[in-house]
Amino acid sequence: FLLQRGLHETYTGGMGSYLLCNVMLHFLQRHPSRKDPKHYRATSLGHYLFDFLKYYGTDFSYETKGISVLDGGCTFDKVKS
């Protein structure tokens, strides 16, 4: 997938394994199933995949937000210079 889009080389702006791990960790930290055991039991890997693609594909604002995985994960506003 990344190779087809030219995003497999980190030195040209692609996604390496470190970034992919952090993106996935941030998503899992903030997923609603983490807070509700009943919802967690009912969530399949397909649900996680769909929610991951929806979150980073349509919901997340790359221009204005950044992610952190510290202390349970959060988003923050980027500083414009």
Side-chain angles (χ1 to χ4, degrees):
F1 179 82
L2 295 175
L3 177 63
Q4 291 173 339
R5 288 155 179 77
L7 297 173
H8 65 293
E9 299 291 346
T10 57
Y11 60 86
T12 59
M15 295 180 74
S17 59
Y18 181 74
L19 176 59
L20 287 172
C21 287
N22 282 323
V23 166
M24 181 55 79
L25 178 58
H26 170 75
F27 167 76
L28 292 173
Q29 287 174 328
R30 297 184 49 89
H31 196 270
S33 68
R34 184 170 179 252
K35 298 174 182 76
D36 181 11
K38 185 178 179 183
H39 187 225
Y40 175 77
R41 286 191 299 274
T43 304
S44 69
L45 290 177
H47 286 106
Y48 281 122
L49 177 61
F50 177 80
D51 290 346
F52 176 83
L53 295 172
K54 182 177 181 290
Y55 179 68
Y56 287 112
T58 61
D59 299 342
F60 190 77
S61 175
Y62 295 94
E63 295 82 22
T64 60
K65 297 286 185 186
I67 65 170
S68 173
V69 295
L70 296 175
D71 299 324
C74 66
T75 59
F76 59 89
D77 292 327
K78 292 182 180 179
V79 178
K80 292 185 180 186
S81 52

